[in-house]
Each structure stands twice: as structure tokens, then as C-alpha cells.
Amino acid sequence: MYKLDQFMNDLQQRHPAQPEFIQAVHEVSESIIDVINRNPRYLHARILDRITEPDRVFIFKVEWENDDGQVEVNRAYRVQFNNALGPYKGGIRFHPSVTLGGLKFLGFEQTFKNSLTSLPMGGGKGGADFNPKGKSENEIQRFCRSFMTELQKYIGPHTDVPAGDIGVGAREIGFMYGQYKRLHDENTGVLTGKGRNWGGSLARPEATGYGAVYFADEMLKAAGDGLEGKTIALSGFGNVSWGAAMKATQLGAKVVTLSGPDGYIYDKDGINTEEKFQYMVELRASNNDVVEPYAAKFGAEFFAKKRPWEVNADIAIPCAIQNELDENDAKQLIKNGTKYVIEASNMGCTPEAITAFREAGVLFAPGKAANAGGVAVSGLEMTQNAMMLSWTFEEVEEKLHNIMQRIHANCLQEGKQQDGFVNYARGANIAGFKKVADAMIDLGY
Ligand code: 2IT
């Protein structure tokens, strides 16, 4: 029998400097420990010990030259967490906050998320403590080239297939894929999130945000409600919020906020025109990491150094980074009447915030379910690459929609309580866990 406190204490002692990894493991273990303790096969296989340990981790140095001719050094990682279901699959993050513990948390979450998509993908994550802010395109290119010169030793189209994440979009994927091809001279889909002219899938850029809103749509419908006419607070201004803002607008909701490290903007008219969506892309491409210019351009309000969780909104969708919504934010949202929270970022809400939502009867969708659309379309990109063809936008979008509906249904089934409330976090953890655990047992040790 596993005891949660004892298991967590041991883990904490082994990894004292990895708070985000501990947080993610605690959140999942809390949900699945009863399932494990009731199943002799899981107990005999020591499944909790094994599923919380990455298969392997690569740590490497990236040396590159900045525009002043000086040599710079960064630290980079690839965490190959679990490949029971298929090749390691997960993004690469370029952000100054990147640490081993952070990427272990992301690889761990990715394993369950990928399981939920129902596509044959294991879980991995990588990245570097490189800060793209203020870097020129040439500097980014040189960094990506050096990064891939080392990473290519550890990845392959049937072993480990990275993609983008924070700080890594189609531009960076292009520079990395180019270097991979120079070294390997092959056209395999070793990365996803590629450009549409060189092996990418249509609808991959939109997929994470679209998927999160499809999940929201299902969640509201299951609660006898609907997206039409709802007000939405979003954080972030990058790829995920861009997709979410477009799909939410299409489905009749109004998105009123975006945010960056500098603060948030409130657009009372809604972020709902082609011009505004296009401007989000430009803001991101500028590499300045600020959202304030949106306010001046479109006559919106700007609140310096504040988070968007203080506005009146029916729905909140954190789209930026881990732990971006804490207990105080949660209480403010609850006070303002927010009824639904959909995590589009990975572990965007702190455990205290999630508890506050549950106690207030606010429906909460965890990132591993709600943001799985991104990696799901990455999986579809791999399929298209393997078949040497490309599907239309509509074909991919329909498949994405079906996958999100299935994920929602699985979370609902595993997370529905006797009193009728749906604990989506618990549902997602259990549904994601079972497949990985069963596969690990089938494969022996
Ligand atoms: O967090 C994520 O799911 C991603 N960054 C996407 C991973 C992928 O392989 O597409």
C-alpha cells in the first residue's frame, strides 16, 4: 500500500530543489493513489515509483556567439520521461526560468496528457535557459543551430519528437529542423510544429488554443450552459492565447484581456477582429515580451504589473506559464462570479487556487486535458509525415475537435462525483494514468 505523505516525503528528499516537479507529482498522486492501492497489479509493479521517475535526462551545454561577437553559454536539457505508449513527444521551451525540475514537471505532465489524446505518444520535454527577449533573429538562429547540433544525438522520428513551447515557434523550429537536416540529410518528421511548406500540419499553430476552447465548449454544455455571450479573461499574448481568442470569438464569446510580464490589457470591445489577432502575432514576433503596445493601438486600457484575474469574466483561461494564477487570484475570480476555469497553460493554477475553485463549485479543467490539442495535432503532423501527404485545414480541425470531445468525455466519466459535481482534475489524472500504467505493466521491466 502506498501512503501519500510518505511517498511525497521520500520524493521531496530526493529532489529538494525541484518544487514544480514535486507539485505536479503531488497533484497526480493525490488523484490516483486510491486507484493504485485498490489494484494489486499496480501495487506489485510499484507503479507509482516507476511512473514518477523519468526514463533518462540529457543535460548539455550550448555555446553560441551574440551580435557583438561575444561567446555566450546556456544550459539545455531533454527529459525523456516515459515511452510506454510511443516515442517521447513534447515541446522545447526557451525561457530564463528553465531548470531541470521545471522540465521534469513538464515531461511528467506531458506523459499523462499524451495518453489522454489517445494517440501513440510517450512523454518528454526539453529546453534551455536561453532568453529570446531582445535577441536578434541572427542570434536566435545561431542559438538554435548550436542547440540542435547537440540535441540531434538524442532524438529521432521513431524515438523522440520535440516541438515548440514557450519561446519556440515555427521560426525556431525551422532553424532547428534545418540544422537537423544538414546533419542527417533526411526528411523525416523529427520535429513537429514545422512550417506548412516544409512538412508542417495545417492548424498546428491554432491547435492548442482551439482545443482549449473546444474543451470549454464541452464543459459548459455538460453543465447545461453555453459559450455564446460569455465574457472571457485570457492571460498571455502568444500562440496559445491567439488560438483561444480566435476560436472563442467564432463560438460567440467575448475575450476582453491579454497579458504579458509587463501587465494586462482590458479591451472592452473584445479581442475579436482579424486586425487584433494579426497584431498579437506581430507582438510575439517583435521579441519584446510586452503587451502594453496593444492598448495604445486599439484604445484599450493597460494595467501595469497586474494580472487579468481581477476583471469580471464568466470564464478564465490562463494561457501563459505555470503557477500564474494563485489563491488570491482564484478568490478574486470567484468573488467576481467566474464559473469556469480552463487551464491552457501547463499547471497554470496553484494547488491552493484549484482547491478554492472546487470549494466554490467552480468547474476547473486541468492543462493536461484542456491544452492537449497542441500535442494532438503534433501527433497528426507525425501521421501526415509518415504518409507523405497533408490534410486540409478542415480535416485536421475536425480530427482535433473529435479528440477534444473524447478527452472531455473521458475526464467526465472518471471525474464525476456522486453529488453530480465534476472534478475534471481528478478525472484527467485517472484517465491519463490508467493507459500508461497498463502499458508499462504489459511491457514488463
Ligand atoms: O505543452 C505542450 O503540450 C506542448 N508544448 C506541445 C508539445 C508537442 O509535442 O506538440
Side-chain angles (χ1 to χ4, degrees), residues 89-91 110 113 125 163-165 192 204 346 371 374-375 378:
K89 182 84 199 80
Q110 195 81 43
K113 181 196 307 192
K125 201 82 186 192
D165 192 78
T192 61
R204 175 63 187 86
N346 291 308
N371 75 25
V375 75
S378 275

Side-chain angles (χ1 to χ4, degrees), residues 117 119 214 376-377 380 383-384 387 391-406:
T117 66
L119 301 174
Y214 282 140
V377 175
L380 300 178
T383 311
Q384 292 168 80
M387 297 194 298
W391 291 323
T392 63
F393 191 98
E394 290 71 25
E395 281 173 290
V396 179
E397 196 186 358
E398 195 195 332
K399 289 181 168 57
L400 167 66
H401 195 174
N402 289 338
I403 289 172
M404 295 314 298
Q405 285 176 321
R406 270 206 310 272

